[in-house]
Amino acid sequence: MISKESIETAYCFLHQKERVYRYSTMEWQRDDIEYAIASYVDSMPDELYDLLADGRRDYLLDHKRFGEDMADAVDQLERMLG
């Protein structure tokens, strides 16, 4: 079972990082955010990550899809909290 607290924590962290990432024009800042999210994914409860990833092993970890994955994760988490 995924706790509401873990959903809230993930939402707050990912929402904040996604907003900065979306509007940032500095590649180093965007790279730092990708690194921070990859580190967070390592500590995220497995059940929550598996639910968000829907079977994708590289969810939130693939540079080419990172922005899209971040927006998707925030959207999913927002719906879970709604």
Side-chain angles (χ1 to χ4, degrees), residues 23-63:
Y23 298 109
S24 178
T25 58
M26 297 173 279
E27 282 304 312
W28 65 266
Q29 185 178 44
R30 293 169 67 98
D31 289 343
D32 285 355
I33 291 170
E34 286 188 46
Y35 180 78
I37 296 302
S39 295
Y40 181 74
V41 164
D42 286 341
S43 66
M44 183 185 288
D46 290 338
E47 292 172 338
L48 180 56
Y49 180 78
D50 292 344
L51 181 65
L52 295 172
D54 194 30
R56 282 194 40 227
R57 292 268 180 219
D58 63 349
Y59 187 74
L60 294 170
L61 304 172
D62 180 0
H63 177 72

